[in-house]
Amino acid sequence: MTTDQAQSTPSFISPAIPLNLMAEYPPAGTPLKLGVMASGSGTNFEVVAQAIADGKLNAKIQVLIYNNPGAKVIARAEKFGIPAILLNHREYKQREDLDSKIVETLQQYDVDWVIMAGWMRVVTQVLVDAFPDRMINIHPSLLPSFPGIRGVEQALEAGVKIAGCTVHFVRLEVDSGPIIMQAAVPVLPNDTSETLHARIQVQEHKILPQAIALAAAQRAGLMLNC
Ligand code: GAR
C-alpha cells in the first residue's frame, strides 16, 4: 500500500477539539512544556514537533528521551533543534532505576507533560507517580483490545475487521488508562502487519497532536463541545 492509499482509506476519528481551535488550547501565552519518549522511528514525535512548528499546537518539546542508540528519532529531533537524551535501558539493573533517571531528566528540562510516542518499555510506579494525569501514550490498537507488544499483529491474528489506534493517559497496567481519543480503520483483505500498521499510523499522526491539546484543555477545566 502506498502512503496515498493509506491516506485515502476511510477512517473514523473520535470527536476532539475542532482543528481550527487547537492552537487556542491551552490559552496562548502558556505553551505546554512537553517531554517526549520514543524508542524507534519517531514519526509520531515528528508530527507533534511539526504541529508545534506550524502553530497548530501551543506547546514546546523541551526534550526527547530515547532508549535505543542509533534510533531514527534522533535525526528528527536534530531537524527541529530539540535536545535528545539517550537513557539506555540496558545500563540499568531495575526498571525503577531507569524510570528514576527518566524522571530526573524530565524535571531537569522543566517538563510538564510527558508523551510516550512509541516508547517500548513497561513503565513503573516511579514514572507514573511523577506525572499524574500528565502522561500520555499512543498505542496501535483500539484499546482495551490488544494491549502490549505486537498490537497490530494481535489484531490481524484475531481476525478483526476494524482496527485502529488509541491515545490514553498512562496508568501502571500496560496500555491501560482513561482514553482521550481513538481512530478506527478497516482491516482489508490481504493486509499484512506492515500495510495495516501504515494505515493505522496515518490516523495516529492525526490524533496525537489533537489528543495532547484535548487532554491539556480538559485538565485546564475548559469545557469543550465534543
Ligand atoms: C506507533 O505505531 C505506536 O502506536 C507504537 O509504536 C509505534 C511507533 O511509531 N507504540 C506501541 O506499540 C506502544 N505499545 P513511531 O516511532 O513511528 O512514532
Side-chain angles (χ1 to χ4, degrees), residues 50-208:
Q50 193 61 54
I52 294 168
D54 293 344
K56 292 180 178 161
L57 179 63
N58 185 17
K60 178 169 183 254
I61 301 178
Q62 308 280 98
V63 65
L64 164 74
I65 292 176
Y66 65 101
N67 63 314
N68 288 320
K72 283 189 188 160
V73 70
I74 305 165
R76 299 185 200 269
E78 269 169 21
K79 182 172 141 189
F80 287 90
I82 294 166
I85 305 291
L86 171 65
L87 297 180
N88 188 338
H89 61 276
R90 298 161 191 88
E91 293 170 8
Y92 296 82
K93 221 172 177 182
Q94 315 255 13
R95 288 186 194 278
E96 285 79 4
D97 299 338
L98 171 67
D99 281 2
S100 295
K101 188 66 189 171
I102 292 172
V103 171
E104 187 188 313
T105 306
L106 292 168
Q107 287 171 346
Q108 267 168 10
Y109 280 86
D110 198 20
V111 163
D112 284 336
W113 286 78
V114 181
I115 315 300
M116 288 168 48
W119 180 253
M120 306 307 273
R121 305 293 305 166
V122 172
V123 298
T124 69
Q125 200 76 56
V126 172
L127 187 50
V128 175
D129 283 353
F131 293 90
D133 282 334
R134 286 182 289 124
M135 188 177 306
I136 288 170
N137 180 45
I138 184 155
H139 182 75
S141 79
L142 292 173
L143 293 171
S145 294
F146 315 126
I149 56 167
R150 301 177 66 254
V152 178
E153 288 85 348
Q154 289 183 61
L156 275 179
E157 283 158 19
V160 297
K161 302 299 179 201
I162 305 280
C165 50
T166 304
V167 181
H168 63 96
F169 287 106
V170 175
R171 297 288 186 268
L172 190 56
E173 196 182 329
V174 171
D175 298 324
S176 72
I179 290 171
I180 304 165
M181 282 187 76
Q182 291 184 306
V185 299
V187 180
L188 301 180
N190 305 322
D191 255 342
T192 63
S193 57
E194 286 76 24
T195 58
L196 180 55
H197 196 189
R199 194 174 310 119
I200 290 169
Q201 283 222 291
V202 171
Q203 302 308 317
E204 289 190 334
H205 298 162
K206 288 180 187 163
I207 69 171
L208 182 56

